[in-house]
Amino acid sequence: MLTYPDVMSADFGPLSTAADQWASMADEFAKVEKRYRDSVQKITLGDSWLGDSANAAALNFAATRYEYQAAQTQAKATATLLRNAYTQFVDLKKQLETARADAVKAGMRVSEQGNVAFDYERATESERNALRHDPDYARSVRESEQSWADYIKSCVKAVDDADADVRKDLESVVKDEGGGKNDGTTGGFNGAAGKVAKADEQQKQERMELASLAMRDGETLDDYLQRLQKEGVEKVTGSKRLAELFAGVQKGTVTAAAFSTALGGTLGSSWKLFKYLKTGKDVTAPGTFLSTFINNRMAGAAPGSLLGKLPTGLVNAVTGSDEAAMFGGFMRNGAFVMPSAAEANLLKVAQNGGLANAAKAAGWMRGLGVAGGVAATAYGVANLATYDADMIKANPSKFASDLSGTAFSASMTALTVAPNPVTAGLAIGTGVVYAGCLIWDNHEAIGEGIDKAGDWIGDKASDVGDGIADGAKKLGSALNPFD
């Protein structure tokens, strides 16, 4: 496997020279083929030589000429492979050199072996003091070190992957596939070598375009998607600073939204549980307040009123059917309870009345909540699966927020499907834990995002020359489907 020093010290110039020589070799084979056609094969094409010997000679001569033609194809294909390898290796090495330069610019020191560490010698006194006394700053420095180290490793791996592909293609291009017209030999030149070169062209394009899409070692699913978003903005706009702004503000916004959801879910569930314990009122599913309000107003609507004119079927489809919810009836304190659509346990409705009635009882509004909760929980589980012991040790607060967030999504989904005191209690507990973990892990994210936005807006006029404004226009154009 190639290493960082291997790539940084490599001279790819001989590949280009070799490609030119293989192209020249194809021209020489073309000259030989022409001479053979006009001086040797020509003998069997006239009337001066007839009979079985002439027929046998014609077959052999045609096969020989085919090999000269196949040799040209193989030589041209080899030249293409070497030329592709040269341009690709040069570009990939340039990416590695740029990655190193960016890391150094970001305050890192990169050794000759490719190891990355924070450059304490260039750090200011305040930065050194913060490293000694501010755990959050020290953690951010460690995360930055790891991020740059992973990025440099991925650049080296891209070269190593390309090298393996080139070797495979060079081995394939010399194998005689056989079956071509007049191909009378086994193990001769490869007349189908052009297919290998064409496939390599496609591989090269995909490798260069998709190299950054690979998930890196030590990267969670959340980290991976955030990086792709940031790199996507940078590619569209051509502005690295705009991409950083986008990532910073987005992180702050997403964190604020997650905290608001956790807090709102906790307070809402607490209120539902309080009413149940104090007045005996059944717990309703999250997000069904509007549907309950509409259904109650519909039930009491006067004939001829605006609400009375609405189609009952349409309203039930949106808010949930109280009639279908009856399949979720249950005994409590010796009395049979008929739940409303907002109160119905969808699992019980499905058990007694089938999935169709469960869907009717849920309605579109609650159904979307169930689907969204299931999707969020599944994503959370997938994200947690990308953690290993080292990643948890390196960033326990992030793991805690991801774990508690997944638990909160699962409990809210359970409350949406089967509203009852138990699921409400679980939602309260996981919501409190999730909100606390978000504060622990992201207490500076929102402020930093706002600060970055403010700094960017304040400096925008002086940074127009750096392409920020053009980048913003490009981003807006890319996001506008009608542009």
Side-chain angles (χ1 to χ4, degrees):
M1 180 172 178
L2 294 176
T3 64
Y4 175 87
D6 292 335
V7 179
M8 293 297 281
S9 61
D11 177 13
F12 300 116
L15 288 173
S16 179
T17 302
D20 293 339
Q21 291 174 344
W22 277 96
S24 298
M25 188 183 301
D27 294 337
E28 294 301 318
F29 275 127
K31 295 175 183 178
V32 174
E33 182 224 337
K34 185 176 182 297
R35 287 198 298 269
Y36 184 84
R37 179 198 66 193
D38 296 340
S39 61
V40 179
Q41 188 183 24
K42 181 179 180 181
I43 299 174
T44 63
L45 301 179
D47 296 332
S48 58
W49 189 7
L50 300 173
D52 292 340
S53 62
N55 293 336
L59 290 175
N60 289 330
F61 292 173
T64 300
R65 183 182 172 192
Y66 168 84
E67 290 301 321
Y68 284 128
Q69 293 171 332
Q72 297 172 57
T73 301
Q74 183 173 313
K76 290 178 182 177
T78 302
T80 298
L81 293 179
L82 293 174
R83 195 168 289 114
N84 286 347
Y86 169 76
T87 57
Q88 185 176 359
F89 286 147
V90 168
D91 288 344
L92 290 175
K93 181 179 179 180
K94 188 177 297 183
Q95 287 184 11
L96 177 58
E97 291 171 340
T98 301
R100 181 191 181 283
D102 289 343
V104 171
K105 188 176 180 181
M108 300 293 128
R109 185 177 65 252
V110 183
S111 71
E112 293 182 356
Q113 300 302 315
N115 299 318
V116 178
F118 182 71
D119 194 342
Y120 291 91
E121 294 180 0
R122 289 195 296 144
T124 64
E125 186 58 35
S126 61
E127 289 174 333
R128 294 173 185 168
N129 187 58
L131 279 170
R132 290 191 294 267
H133 303 291
D134 187 345
D136 290 332
Y137 182 73
R139 186 190 68 183
S140 69
V141 169
R142 291 194 301 271
E143 290 176 350
S144 183
E145 285 178 336
Q146 188 61 50
S147 177
W148 282 112
D150 291 342
Y151 182 42
I152 287 176
K153 285 179 183 177
S154 71
C155 291
V156 174
K157 187 176 184 301
V159 181
D160 189 64
D161 289 343
D163 181 59
D165 286 342
V166 170
R167 176 178 178 177
K168 180 186 67 177
D169 289 340
L170 288 173
E171 290 173 348
S172 297
V173 82
V174 299
K175 293 179 181 178
D176 185 8
E177 294 187 4
K181 183 179 179 181
N182 295 325
D183 188 358
T185 64
T186 301
F189 291 104
N190 184 7
K195 296 179 182 178
V196 179
K198 185 177 180 180
D200 181 77
E201 287 274 10
Q202 183 63 31
Q203 288 175 356
K204 172 193 170 186
Q205 182 177 353
E206 292 176 354
R207 196 156 46 229
M208 295 301 294
E209 291 178 353
L210 303 180
S212 63
L213 298 185
M215 196 167 178
R216 299 171 184 169
D217 294 338
E219 191 172 47
T220 67
L221 186 58
D222 260 351
D223 296 334
Y224 173 57
L225 294 178
Q226 289 173 14
R227 176 172 61 80
L228 291 187
Q229 288 177 337
K230 180 179 176 181
E231 291 178 356
V233 172
E234 184 174 347
K235 278 191 174 182
V236 169
T237 64
S239 170
K240 185 173 183 178
R241 188 174 179 193
L242 184 60
E244 291 174 349
L245 167 69
F246 172 82
V249 174
Q250 182 194 45
K251 181 174 175 60
T253 302
V254 170
T255 302
F259 182 79
S260 175
T261 300
L263 189 62
T266 301
L267 293 176
S269 300
S270 299
W271 175 245
K272 294 175 190 293
L273 190 56
F274 170 76
K275 288 198 296 183
Y276 172 81
L277 295 175
K278 186 174 182 179
T279 65
K281 184 175 178 58
D282 288 325
V283 177
T284 57
T288 56
F289 173 80
L290 183 61
S291 63
T292 302
F293 174 79
I294 293 174
N295 285 342
N296 290 340
R297 294 296 298 271
M298 283 285 295
S305 65
L306 181 61
L307 285 175
K309 293 179 181 180
L310 292 176
T312 304
L314 175 62
V315 175
N316 287 343
V318 175
T319 64
S321 169
D322 287 338
E323 183 178 357
M326 292 181 181
F327 284 100
F330 58 94
M331 296 295 298
R332 184 172 63 195
N333 299 328
F336 191 74
V337 178
M338 287 289 191
S340 66
E343 299 164 343
N345 182 328
L346 299 181
L347 295 177
K348 193 171 184 63
V349 174
Q351 182 181 4
N352 296 330
L355 290 175
N357 279 307
K360 291 179 182 178
W364 292 351
M365 295 174 66
R366 188 175 172 188
L368 289 174
V370 173
V374 170
T377 303
Y379 175 84
V381 171
N383 182 49
L384 290 172
T386 58
Y387 276 94
D388 57 28
D390 291 336
M391 293 165 64
I392 295 173
K393 288 180 181 179
N395 200 345
S397 61
K398 186 176 187 304
F399 175 72
S401 65
D402 286 346
L403 178 61
S404 58
T406 302
F408 177 66
S409 294
S411 64
M412 288 297 290
T413 304
L415 180 59
T416 306
V417 172
N420 58 59
V422 175
T423 54
L426 288 172
I428 294 170
T430 56
V432 170
V433 174
Y434 183 35
C437 290
L438 283 172
I439 294 173
W440 177 27
D441 186 35
N442 299 293
H443 62 281
E444 294 181 349
I446 299 173
E448 287 180 356
I450 294 174
D451 287 343
K452 288 180 180 179
D455 291 343
W456 178 76
I457 293 170
D459 296 339
K460 183 177 178 182
S462 62
D463 287 341
V464 170
D466 294 335
I468 301 294
D470 290 340
K473 290 178 182 178
K474 290 180 184 177
L475 177 61
S477 177
L479 296 179
N480 181 4
F482 303 105
D483 190 352

